[in-house]
Amino acid sequence: MSGQHFLFVPGPTTVPQDIMNAISAPMEDHRSLAFPELTHCVLDDLKEVFKTKSGRAFVFPASGTGGWEIALTNTLSPGDTVIASRIGHFSNLWINMCKRLGLEVIELEAEWGEAAPIERYQEQLAMDRNHRIKAALICHNETSTGVTSDVAGLRRAIDDEGHSAMLLVDGVSSIASIDFNMDAWGVDFAVACSQKGFMLPAGLAITCASEKALNAFQKKTRTPRAYFRLQDMIEANDTGYFPFTPSLPMLRGLRASLRRLLDEGLDNVFARHHRLAGGVRRGIRDGWGLDLCARQQGTKSDTVSAIMMPDGFDSNEVIRLAQLKYNLALGAGLSKVSGRLYRIGHLGDLNELMLCAALSGAEMAMRDIGIDVTPGSAVAAASEYWRSDKQ
Amino acid sequence: MSGQHFLFVPGPTTVPQDIMNAISAPMEDHRSLAFPELTHCVLDDLKEVFKTKSGRAFVFPASGTGGWEIALTNTLSPGDTVIASRIGHFSNLWINMCKRLGLEVIELEAEWGEAAPIERYQEQLAMDRNHRIKAALICHNETSTGVTSDVAGLRRAIDDEGHSAMLLVDGVSSIASIDFNMDAWGVDFAVACSQKGFMLPAGLAITCASEKALNAFQKKTRTPRAYFRLQDMIEANDTGYFPFTPSLPMLRGLRASLRRLLDEGLDNVFARHHRLAGGVRRGIRDGWGLDLCARQQGTKSDTVSAIMMPDGFDSNEVIRLAQLKYNLALGAGLSKVSGRLYRIGHLGDLNELMLCAALSGAEMAMRDIGIDVTPGSAVAAASEYWRSDKQ
Amino acid sequence: MSGQHFLFVPGPTTVPQDIMNAISAPMEDHRSLAFPELTHCVLDDLKEVFKTKSGRAFVFPASGTGGWEIALTNTLSPGDTVIASRIGHFSNLWINMCKRLGLEVIELEAEWGEAAPIERYQEQLAMDRNHRIKAALICHNETSTGVTSDVAGLRRAIDDEGHSAMLLVDGVSSIASIDFNMDAWGVDFAVACSQKGFMLPAGLAITCASEKALNAFQKKTRTPRAYFRLQDMIEANDTGYFPFTPSLPMLRGLRASLRRLLDEGLDNVFARHHRLAGGVRRGIRDGWGLDLCARQQGTKSDTVSAIMMPDGFDSNEVIRLAQLKYNLALGAGLSKVSGRLYRIGHLGDLNELMLCAALSGAEMAMRDIGIDVTPGSAVAAASEYWRSDKQ
Amino acid sequence: MSGQHFLFVPGPTTVPQDIMNAISAPMEDHRSLAFPELTHCVLDDLKEVFKTKSGRAFVFPASGTGGWEIALTNTLSPGDTVIASRIGHFSNLWINMCKRLGLEVIELEAEWGEAAPIERYQEQLAMDRNHRIKAALICHNETSTGVTSDVAGLRRAIDDEGHSAMLLVDGVSSIASIDFNMDAWGVDFAVACSQKGFMLPAGLAITCASEKALNAFQKKTRTPRAYFRLQDMIEANDTGYFPFTPSLPMLRGLRASLRRLLDEGLDNVFARHHRLAGGVRRGIRDGWGLDLCARQQGTKSDTVSAIMMPDGFDSNEVIRLAQLKYNLALGAGLSKVSGRLYRIGHLGDLNELMLCAALSGAEMAMRDIGIDVTPGSAVAAASEYWRSDKQ
């Protein structure tokens, strides 16, 4: 196909040229005298992104799924109880993993499109007099539904009940794009990965653990693990190295990514995501007259919008035509919402015109299958919003 | 600025990744045993693009301006007379060059926005009983106004008068994007360059000479020249080499470009440009209600559209805001139309959504300075056209 | 430092340009319609490299250490017994991992520099009447000592005793460089990774399991695991996808790597490594008069040579000067041989002159600290060998 | 062929990764508001490299041959007389160009391998009472013979005779590698190009003109020229732009190159070239016992060594085998020394081990055709020199 490919799945996101240059530099020895400078630079800058002073960041060659496992196996032991909510595909998968790793899960069911039900977490914690619940799990930004949940609220709920549970957060599609504050929110383990807000290819699980998680929990965990064992990583990282061969291109890419994020300023990064998302939402609602999967105000994600299909239309057909006719990759509805929604990722290295292209292509594909949206309407609504908002 | 840069000047155009990879491969010896394979491959494939069997293609490290000089200095001598029309910035510059090189020019004036006046060429040729006119010069696609002229018609005019004049063509923004037929049209010298339809960076003058130009004219030219002397190039190319160090990255890039063009098929390339341009024109006319600089039907360029500003508005301000606010590069109005039009290039490696982005950005910038175009209207008109037209 | 960096650690190896181009191509959706073609192509070609028809290849975002864990946790359960030999740093680490994962290990101690003691494995297997031993582990090429062991011999030993133990092989620094034959040697699980013979950066654990390992063992394993759970990978791979976001750059790089390996022909790849290693060994022995760590004839590795220091000299000082003065990265002596040897990796995309550079740099660094080797002697011996041997 | 290609022709030289990254960045509009910053940065830094305060630097898409033409056609008119010496292939070609452009040339013949005969220039200038000679041409570093001539000496000779001739210098293979001082040496026009010491691909003619050349000569030149007309370039450059589309990748590459050169420090760059060349010369003389084409002490080039073949051996055969068997590109003997010498370029981004590889490969190829040089001898002599000399 001619022309550029427009990638609007909610990760992997487009990799900027300077990061790709860092990635594609020639190999080096990961045991060289110079190597520790890279290790320390990356791990220190990551703490700024996680907004933690006392926590500790970790980088593993793995996917975000590996990041979940790092969080669970280094803080919990088989038989431990955790509490978690089922609000979408990825929160479900994390719960499934808990079970595979031998954890007991108190599951809070909710409609897809709802945020994590903080009050119901609190009810359960209140009832848990013996602090059997070792950790509360929450998905900060459920990528399958485009819903952002209230992590700080969950911490308040835990604290309100005087509960000792750790707070473990899936921040895969929020961290580095939406405000996240490890220390202020009392997060004990946060999981991110490379291919979202960090603007890198997939391949790195990026996590951060609180002092409490490392000292009180990690040291007594009985879960067998080797590759993902944090203690080995801590000991090696302290010397500037890794316990096994790290992915040099990804570490260099991460350094370049962190430099970009910190140069732009995290608050500016968040504001940019919020502003761009605002235009997309106006395009969907005011332009096309379509609904988001996210229901409540204040929970609509700044990194991904899940667009509900009108009755009788199959979102997979929209996605297929967008790909084949317009060189546009949209995100599919996953598992139980397959066919019922498609997703536009709006995170990472992005601007207004890229989103105009995405909205135009999605609109053309929807019209191709007979959905009656007004031509140009999403671009009109989004662009007028951006114009009004842009100084 | 965040996100990708949208480059919509009518050259340089966006370089596709595979071509950039070819360009950035490690250096090699240009006198190696393997080198001739590259030379011959490029020069042979170029003949297919120029659509010539008997002509000969040349590649020089130079800009398109250098290409004009190659055409003039290798076929004409100081004091020779040529005929040419002034229909825009680039046809003017070529005429200026003729004068600097000591040629006499019969100049045909026309309004910018008009095509080259074939009938007036014919009148002059008819009057030139002694064949004092050695060459007729024409700009196939005047990039400053977005006007395509009738090269085949000029050849017919020459032949109708039984005139011996050569036909020299500036095909800088047409060749490899709009149909061009060296042999069928009896073109004696065609000038192209790398940064337009060939999807390469600037740096190569790509020209093609007819047998007649080489045999009857080149050999007796008295213009002093060295770097651009074709005879040296011919002798070196015949052995597979160059008379001076060639730009290896650009030759490799050109090979990759030619492979793309011939793999897609020239007719498909032309049809794609025509189809994409059709959408842009509908966006401008039916969406925004604005005029093109190109006046006559059938002369509106498939590679660049020059959009006239409504009275009271400065196109340079549109361009400035598009750049600063929307990361979009539009083409300026050059010399006497500065401020009165801006240009959108639509050539090279391009698709619908890239143009939706460009139209959206131009629209936002126009609205920012108060031009009353309807939001989303250009995308609406263009995208409906492309949808209807796309199989 | 000026000029190119010479990377001669035994992994990561130099990434050829075409592979790096594949790695640095723009991102795509890993759930697209086109994606399965990449998945199937890579997994099918991998089977050719592992030389298996009935086995199954797997690619995980992980390091080689992750590959070990994949092999162990998908075939064995806590409490199971395995037999393994300690012949160097990496075979030791694998044994340590076994223990962490709750396995019982029958450990065969040997001097570093020795190959895996096949006869002692056989003795133990012979004594194990009840087939308590579930698997025999062997390091095909111990990277820390430059010793290649007899995998086929270990299979024969198992079979000679009529034992049911699986054969698990660390082929990290052998596969794709030294002959390895999954099916012929009856290997049940083979572990490789991206940054050695595959000429990629680190980041992928590349493994292959036999039908028996998958059917008889994998399905009943009780080791808790999620990220590395093969059953999920099998189900997703069968549809052409992955159970979590794969590293697109690395998959594309792996496809390019496999194309290179199969285009060159595996036998030619092995012969090239053998021939280049032969020159290096002659340089070390006949040129410098130094010993390899590898003792026995027939066990000297074709991918890495570990060079013993004369008494009184510290190999870390050689490595430090090679790095700082000559832009050359040599491999260090690991754990108990730290300071006593340094290593030259000779695997991947390599040729004679690259090795001449490495030998020259190592020689200069050795002379700098006073080791009395004759200037030019290693290059002399190696180059004469290569000349005589080259057709 | 496996492994890296070793490029040791005296240009093009190896392009460092950071420069290649600059070259392969996405295209931009060359008429944008931001563009002048690039233009001014490059032209200002170039003046530092040419060591001129009052001169003016120019960058054209062209080869070095184009640079010669820029120098001649912008300072001289047809019929003017110049004086020049024939001391090798490139000085010959420049003289040929003079003749083609209608200049009269007083030619000083010398043996290839000799430096430019300053005293004979002076004799001629002394006899030229009427100052008919408008310019003295000299090749600072004759690339075909590896001989450096005394530019400052020629200026002294001109001044000693109170002559008004301009001093035009071919610095193609010296500038940015060997000390060159435009102002101190009273050079009026210096010609360089991108693919030598600037570590870029071929494609840019880089020149510098003195105030006198521009004011007293350029303004009255009668040579017809357009593409290479400096006055247009001056006017456009003054505004930060170019009179025709510049090669953006090469300008960006040049900026990166200049940053490297000035960061390393010109004196350090020159010292590094001198030191590396010293090792190569010792390898050739003390190791192999072969002669350089350069005869006199003090004229042996720090950027290229031309190695004379013993009687009965054909250098083209050495070059052919080096290419085919060892992936090494050596420079050929040009025109009348074809077969009698081969050349090793030692300029640009280079270090000791790269040269060890080159010397090893040349040695192997020489031994392959039966030249009796001692194996390892060049590496031995060179590396011992570098070791002794390295702090």
Side-chain angles (χ1 to χ4, degrees), chain A residues 72-91:
Chain A
L72 298 176
T73 59
N74 284 286
T75 58
L76 299 163
S77 300
D80 282 352
T81 297
V82 302
I83 183 168
S85 50
R86 290 191 174 279
I87 58 167
H89 183 65
F90 293 100
S91 46

Side-chain angles (χ1 to χ4, degrees), chain B residues 5 7 9 11-15 20 23-33 61-67 69 78 89-90 93 97 100-102 195-196 200-203 223-229 232 243-250 319-320 323-324 329-332 334 343, chain D residues 5 7 9 11-15 20 23-33 61-67 69 78 89-90 93 97 100-102 195-196 200-203 223-229 232 243-250 319-320 323-324 329-332 334 343:
Chain B
H5 177 58
L7 179 65
V9 299
T13 62
T14 301
V15 180
M20 198 52 103
I23 285 173
S24 57
M27 291 302 105
E28 281 179 8
D29 178 18
H30 55 288
R31 292 193 178 93
S32 78
L33 299 173
S63 76
T65 301
E69 184 160 331
H89 184 64
F90 294 100
L93 287 180
M97 178 186 276
R100 281 200 172 147
L101 294 173
Q195 76 270 25
K196 312 275 180 176
L200 291 162
T223 307
R225 67 208 181 284
Y227 182 68
F228 286 139
R229 191 167 175 269
D232 296 350
F244 39 69
T245 314
S247 171
L248 180 65
M250 292 296 281
I319 293 163
R320 195 180 68 86
Q323 177 72 52
L324 295 181
L330 298 168
L334 297 172
R343 294 174 298 148
Chain D
H5 177 58
L7 180 65
V9 298
T13 62
T14 301
V15 179
M20 198 51 103
I23 285 174
S24 58
M27 292 301 106
E28 281 179 7
D29 179 17
H30 56 287
R31 293 193 178 92
S32 78
L33 299 172
S63 76
T65 302
E69 183 160 332
H89 183 65
F90 294 100
L93 287 180
M97 178 185 276
R100 281 200 172 146
L101 294 173
Q195 77 269 23
K196 311 275 179 177
L200 291 163
T223 307
R225 69 208 181 282
Y227 182 70
F228 286 140
R229 192 168 176 268
D232 296 350
F244 40 70
T245 314
S247 172
L248 180 64
M250 292 297 281
I319 293 163
R320 196 180 69 85
Q323 177 72 51
L324 296 180
L330 298 168
L334 298 172
R343 295 173 296 147

Side-chain angles (χ1 to χ4, degrees), chain C residues 133-320:
Chain C
I133 297 172
K134 291 288 178 289
L137 276 57
I138 187 169
C139 195
H140 187 202
N141 192 73
E142 172 55 65
T143 316
S144 65
T145 57
V147 170
T148 305
S149 290
D150 184 8
V151 175
L154 181 51
R155 165 49 66 195
R156 279 194 303 272
I158 297 170
D159 290 350
D160 285 354
E161 302 305 327
H163 201 287
S164 60
M166 286 183 293
L167 175 54
L168 311 188
V169 181
D170 170 351
V172 160
S173 59
S174 64
I175 290 169
S177 306
I178 297 176
D179 191 21
F180 181 88
N181 199 320
M182 186 95 183
D183 282 359
W185 298 352
V187 173
D188 290 297
F189 223 109
V191 176
C193 63
S194 48
Q195 76 270 25
K196 311 275 179 177
F198 288 104
M199 304 167 283
L200 292 162
L204 287 187
I206 300 169
T207 63
C208 194
S210 71
E211 251 186 320
K212 175 176 145 195
L214 291 178
N215 293 334
F217 290 86
Q218 186 244 156
K219 296 202 170 150
K220 57 188 185 191
T221 308
R222 286 167 293 102
T223 307
R225 67 208 181 282
Y227 182 69
F228 286 139
R229 193 169 175 267
L230 281 191
Q231 195 55 39
D232 296 351
M233 188 59 86
I234 288 171
E235 286 162 22
N237 283 176
D238 278 345
T239 67
Y241 297 94
F242 285 81
F244 39 69
T245 314
S247 171
L248 180 64
M250 291 297 280
L251 285 179
R252 285 172 173 161
L254 182 53
R255 177 165 58 181
S257 160
L258 289 162
R259 198 176 301 141
R260 269 181 90 96
L261 290 168
L262 298 175
D263 282 356
E264 183 174 353
L266 286 177
D267 286 347
N268 295 328
V269 171
F270 303 150
R272 175 168 55 83
H273 279 79
H274 183 64
R275 188 177 164 279
L276 291 172
V280 172
R281 285 191 286 263
R282 269 155 193 81
I284 295 164
R285 186 193 62 193
D286 301 346
W288 295 336
L290 296 178
D291 291 325
L292 290 181
C293 181
R295 304 235 168 77
Q296 299 132 297
Q297 204 52 37
T299 70
K300 294 173 180 176
S301 168
D302 281 346
T303 59
V304 54
S305 290
I307 297 139
M308 302 306 298
M309 286 293 91
D311 283 347
F313 293 101
D314 179 359
S315 63
N316 290 323
E317 195 57 14
V318 175
I319 293 164
R320 196 180 69 85

Side-chain angles (χ1 to χ4, degrees), chain D residues 251-308:
Chain D
L251 285 179
R252 284 173 172 161
L254 182 53
R255 177 165 58 181
S257 161
L258 289 162
R259 198 175 304 140
R260 268 181 90 96
L261 289 168
L262 299 175
D263 282 355
E264 184 175 353
L266 287 177
D267 286 348
N268 295 328
V269 171
F270 303 151
R272 175 168 56 82
H273 279 80
H274 183 63
R275 186 176 166 280
L276 290 173
V280 171
R281 286 192 286 263
R282 269 155 193 81
I284 294 163
R285 185 193 63 193
D286 302 345
W288 295 336
L290 296 177
D291 291 325
L292 290 181
C293 181
R295 304 236 168 77
Q296 300 131 297
Q297 205 51 38
T299 70
K300 294 173 180 176
S301 168
D302 280 347
T303 59
V304 55
S305 290
I307 297 139
M308 301 307 297

Side-chain angles (χ1 to χ4, degrees), chain D residues 66-84:
Chain D
W68 288 342
E69 183 160 332
I70 292 165
L72 298 176
T73 58
N74 284 286
T75 56
L76 299 163
S77 300
D80 281 353
T81 297
V82 302
I83 183 169

